[in-house]
Amino acid sequence: MSFAVIPSWPNNFQIGQEDKQLNALIQQVQSQTEPFLVLPTYLPKWQSMRRQLGLVDVPYWSAFDALQKVSVKEKRPLQLEDLTWPKDAQFVRMFDRIIVLSGTTIYGTVFFTYPKADQIDRIDLLKKGKLSQQLTVDDRGFISRVLNYKDGQLTKASYLSQSGAVVAEQDCLTGQVQAILPDGRKVSYSQMIDLVQELTVAYLKAHHQGEALVANSELNYRIAQQVSFNRLFLWAGQEDAADLQDSWRSVSTDVQILQSQVSSVSGDDADSGVLIAPYPVHPKELVQRKNQTVLYIKVGDLDSSKQATLMDQAVKLFNQDENRTVIFEGATVPATFPARLEQALSEQLVDLHLDEQLLTEAKAHFVFLGEQSVKSRLQYLATSSLYVDLSKQPDLEVLATTVALGLPTFTAVKTAYSLLDGFDSVEPEELSDKVTNLLTAEGWQQAQEQLIQQQAGLAIAALNQQWQERLKK
């Protein structure tokens, strides 16, 4: 009997943090059993996505492939010449799109996938300058969905078969769906989720799937209710699993909730679920304590007020020791944090009467970075003495790296990568005091020693062993 995995991946081709975490879990599961992906969501770029995630060798079944009678499995990107255009069409190429002109008016726009722009994502067709239709392109080489608009409002969504016939049509104003099922029956549904649910449940029942790893979502919950799995592993990820207990534990006699973080350390964490690390820790050269202390802070989703508090605390840390440099990383950091630094310096150093040169030297101890690539961030972390992630959902892949480096870390929530002897939580207003305490020679050394102990339990062999024990129970 194969082990079903039911993800909740989005259809926009953007692979996010949750997608990568579930993919990492699938790789752990593969060491013990043969996972089989069941895809209930509309994924027109699935062939590209599975390559990007490294899941090419994992077999799958798709509800929309069944509905749309798709047989081709290979990626075959659609080309402009495969489509019919006006005889006088002119194509104006830009990096991520092509503007199609007919005469002197814009006929449509061809958009390419982000970030490589190596295949067509969708095509917008215009009438009298307004969006009339949007064609969704499947990466196997056909138009799979047509969205119709009237006066800027989405009115109808038509799902097409591989050969171009309409197999399902949704009234987007009422939500009602008319569909031709794979067995030829014409059936009406009150909403699209009902159609997808029926197709997926029928498949799972027909193939006697007894065990499954299921990502939390409304659709997956409805599917699990009807399938009655013998054993179910619920992947809550970085959500608050405490809210999921009652509902999900009613769908199977054996449900284990897996989560990668908990929002609080109060109470019994075991009541919420099992804390599990999606990413294994691969050994790296340990960071060394340095006289020039570099603090690397990922700003995350802090609001404006918290960001101002964070900067005040960072300047306070610098005032305590001029051998400290603070690096901030975040999408908006380069644009907004220089002004915050100016404000904090003017408030905290006003009594010191710094001249322009000393002020410039002080500013040089604060570095502002946009979102970094994995390689670039690793270079910064290898020279740091402390890493801080203030996100509500910290990047666990980075935390796995900090454990491998033996780099002491603070986060806003407890994760599977937090220190063994407790949870090194921090709020922006606490940063100066907590960092000061940790950066003592004894405090820093103790934290690194705990991280080194932690590495063995988070190695790939240990994580695989944990799955072996789970699946045998």
Side-chain angles (χ1 to χ4, degrees):
M1 182 183 297
S2 61
F3 185 81
V5 179
I6 310 178
S8 57
W9 287 321
N11 62 24
N12 58 7
F13 191 53
Q14 299 300 311
I15 297 176
Q17 186 165 289
E18 293 181 3
D19 309 322
K20 291 192 292 184
Q21 287 181 32
L22 181 57
N23 178 51
L25 281 192
I26 293 171
Q27 293 177 12
Q28 293 179 29
V29 168
Q30 276 185 290
S31 69
Q32 305 301 325
T33 187
E34 297 180 1
F36 184 92
L37 292 173
V38 176
L39 307 175
T41 48
Y42 177 61
L43 296 169
K45 301 296 186 293
W46 169 241
Q47 299 306 318
S48 301
M49 186 176 176
R50 69 194 294 237
R51 290 187 183 187
Q52 196 170 341
L53 289 170
L55 296 173
V56 175
D57 296 330
V58 179
Y60 72 93
W61 174 87
S62 163
F64 279 88
D65 278 5
L67 174 67
Q68 296 177 268
K69 301 179 175 64
V70 180
S71 58
V72 62
K73 298 290 186 181
E74 299 81 17
K75 180 180 174 182
R76 299 174 184 173
L78 195 68
Q79 306 298 318
L80 281 178
E81 54 267 27
D82 297 329
L83 301 166
T84 301
W85 302 101
K87 292 182 179 180
D88 62 347
Q90 300 179 59
F91 301 93
V92 181
R93 180 67 195 247
M94 304 170 119
F95 172 71
D96 64 341
R97 70 194 64 186
I98 291 177
I99 306 298
V100 184
L101 301 175
S102 179
T104 59
T105 62
I106 298 178
Y107 176 81
T109 304
V110 181
F111 292 91
F112 292 88
T113 53
Y114 177 86
K116 293 184 179 180
D118 57 349
Q119 60 179 308
I120 298 174
D121 179 33
R122 73 176 198 271
I123 301 169
D124 288 0
L125 301 178
L126 281 65
K127 282 187 179 180
K128 297 180 180 180
K130 293 184 178 181
L131 180 62
S132 173
Q133 285 187 329
Q134 185 177 94
L135 314 181
T136 304
V137 179
D138 191 288
D139 59 7
R140 290 166 292 185
F142 61 94
I143 304 296
S144 69
R145 184 179 65 181
V146 179
L147 303 179
N148 287 278
Y149 292 82
K150 184 176 182 181
D151 297 326
Q153 184 176 19
L154 178 61
T155 59
K156 184 174 68 173
S158 301
Y159 293 84
L160 311 182
S161 68
Q162 183 179 316
S163 60
V166 176
V167 294
E169 194 169 83
Q170 181 180 24
D171 185 326
C172 296
L173 301 179
T174 65
Q176 293 184 332
V177 178
Q178 304 291 327
I180 302 174
L181 299 187
D183 60 9
R185 290 181 295 129
K186 295 181 180 180
V187 184
S188 298
Y189 300 89
S190 59
Q191 52 186 342
M192 181 59 74
I193 193 174
D194 297 327
L195 166 58
V196 178
Q197 175 186 331
E198 180 177 318
L199 292 172
T200 307
V201 168
Y203 174 83
L204 288 169
K205 286 184 174 181
H207 289 77
H208 307 292
Q209 297 290 341
E211 298 182 337
L213 171 63
V214 180
N216 180 47
S217 73
E218 178 190 355
L219 174 57
N220 287 354
Y221 175 69
R222 291 174 56 165
I223 291 169
Q225 277 184 307
Q226 293 194 24
V227 174
S228 298
F229 292 104
N230 298 329
R231 181 163 52 166
L232 187 147
F233 298 93
L234 173 66
W235 173 238
Q238 292 179 269
E239 296 181 62
D240 189 350
D243 297 334
L244 305 176
Q245 295 179 67
D246 293 339
S247 57
W248 277 94
R249 284 179 173 160
S250 67
V251 304
S252 173
T253 56
D254 187 354
V255 177
Q256 188 172 109
I257 299 177
L258 310 177
Q259 59 187 118
S260 55
Q261 75 173 51
V262 292
S263 59
S264 171
V265 292
S266 61
D268 186 359
D269 294 337
D271 288 342
S272 299
V274 178
L275 201 58
I276 182 173
Y279 303 109
V281 169
H282 301 289
K284 297 184 184 298
E285 184 177 352
L286 296 176
V287 298
Q288 302 298 316
R289 185 75 168 87
K290 307 170 185 67
N291 292 329
Q292 179 66 36
T293 302
V294 177
L295 311 177
Y296 195 114
I297 301 176
K298 191 165 186 182
V299 176
D301 41 25
L302 291 181
D303 60 25
S304 178
S305 175
K306 292 284 189 180
Q307 289 179 13
T309 301
L310 173 62
M311 182 58 74
D312 288 339
Q313 291 285 301
V315 171
K316 184 178 179 180
L317 282 165
F318 169 71
N319 290 342
Q320 294 169 355
D321 186 345
E322 293 184 357
N323 286 321
R324 291 172 178 168
T325 295
V326 184
I327 300 175
F328 296 94
E329 180 194 339
T332 63
V333 162
T336 61
F337 270 58
R340 296 193 185 284
L341 176 61
E342 291 276 1
Q343 180 69 21
L345 287 174
S346 67
E347 292 175 353
Q348 294 192 38
L349 305 183
V350 65
D351 295 331
L352 299 182
H353 305 293
L354 295 182
D355 60 29
E356 194 63 32
Q357 180 179 349
L358 291 176
L359 192 60
T360 300
E361 290 176 358
K363 291 179 181 178
H365 285 261
F366 297 86
V367 181
F368 306 119
L369 304 175
E371 293 287 348
Q372 297 295 294
S373 66
V374 173
K375 181 179 180 180
S376 176
R377 187 183 294 111
L378 178 59
Q379 291 174 340
Y380 283 107
L381 290 175
T383 62
S384 299
S385 299
L386 179 70
Y387 177 71
V388 179
D389 190 332
L390 296 169
S391 311
K392 294 175 183 176
Q393 295 186 340
D395 190 325
L396 301 182
E397 199 166 12
V398 179
L399 297 186
T401 300
T402 62
V403 175
L405 293 169
L407 178 63
T409 298
F410 284 125
T411 52
V413 295
K414 182 178 181 180
T415 75
Y417 301 93
S418 296
L419 287 177
L420 295 172
D421 285 351
F423 169 36
D424 283 326
S425 66
V426 66
E427 292 293 332
E429 57 269 19
E430 305 171 318
L431 188 67
S432 178
D433 291 341
K434 289 207 168 185
V435 168
T436 300
N437 291 334
L438 182 67
L439 288 180
T440 63
E442 182 180 353
W444 194 91
Q445 184 64 32
Q446 183 180 11
Q448 186 173 73
E449 288 174 357
Q450 289 183 35
L451 288 168
I452 294 172
Q453 293 177 41
Q454 206 169 353
Q455 290 175 359
L458 294 170
I460 184 64
L463 298 182
N464 290 344
Q465 177 66 29
Q466 291 171 18
W467 271 107
Q468 183 179 29
E469 293 171 359
R470 287 189 191 98
L471 292 170
K472 281 184 177 180
K473 290 181 180 178

